[in-house]
Amino acid sequence: MDRPIAPYVIPWKGETTLPGDIAVTSAGVAYADPVQDALHRDLDGVLWAMCGGTATGGPAYAAELHPERQKTTMEGLLCAGCKEPGDRDERGMLWILPLLDDAADTVWEGVHTAIPPMCATCADRAPRLCPQLGDGHVELRVREADQIGVRGTLHPRPGEPGEPDPNALALYDSPDLPFVIARQAVRELRRTTVVAFAAAFP
Ligand SMILES: [Zn+2]
């Protein structure tokens, strides 16, 4: 093995999302190639970013989670680190999240996240690999984690001024949803229990 083992959802520097030729109509955004369009729609009809490149160049911890692997793990409630099932106990499923800027005031109830759950092994290991978790994190148990929408690029409607918004949250009941090319599935964490806070590693 000549490369470090990175958590499953972390993209590699050689991996990219591909822009693709798109068309925006009053019905929404679509890939110009109907085959590509069909291949990249999920069961809810949401269009997803096309992924390209190869797992080379080392893990890109500062980048957004890899869209295909994030979707797979988040939708399946699989571990972000290893794709095994997320850990469950009587308090719910295990989530490890970076601390927010105002961590002291954060209510970890109803928080929206694009980070999938973790197994117990990866929960121990991930903060030592991932700088964002290593800067301090919270360990949560979560009883309800409904998937509420997607984060991605929101395209203006035809005739609407303005540039695409590259970092929009579109809920499943939003009229914006057909105009988004998704990169991350988002869950809302409810009935949460804070198990522990971890400070930044020295
Ligand atoms: Zn794991």
Side-chain angles (χ1 to χ4, degrees), residues 4-65:
I5 299 170
Y8 178 72
V9 295
I10 299 295
W12 289 68
K13 289 174 184 153
E15 293 179 314
T16 56
T17 54
L18 306 172
D21 289 331
I22 61 164
V24 184
T25 68
S26 58
V29 61
Y31 289 127
D33 178 343
V35 175
Q36 289 296 345
D37 191 78
L39 284 174
H40 290 87
R41 287 203 187 265
D42 66 19
L43 293 175
D44 296 303
V46 176
L47 190 62
W48 280 76
M50 294 194 273
C51 296
T54 55
T56 54
Y61 283 106
E64 194 171 52
L65 304 181

Side-chain angles (χ1 to χ4, degrees), residues 87-89 91-94 140-142 191-193 195:
D87 189 70
R88 284 181 195 271
D89 71 9
R91 296 166 298 179
M93 189 161 273
L94 174 59
L140 298 177
R141 289 287 174 172
V142 177
R191 300 176 68 203
T192 59
T193 304
V195 177

Side-chain angles (χ1 to χ4, degrees), residues 102-155:
D102 53 350
D105 301 324
T106 303
V107 179
W108 297 95
E109 178 67 31
V111 66
H112 295 173
T113 188
I115 300 178
M118 282 193 198
C119 74
T121 303
C122 291
D124 281 344
R125 190 171 160 267
R128 296 182 186 283
L129 291 171
C130 172
Q132 285 169 53
L133 296 177
D135 284 346
H137 59 270
V138 61
E139 177 181 339
L140 298 177
R141 289 287 174 172
V142 177
R143 287 182 189 274
E144 286 178 16
D146 286 346
Q147 201 164 306
I148 56 165
V150 293
R151 191 167 282 286
T153 299
L154 173 62
H155 292 268

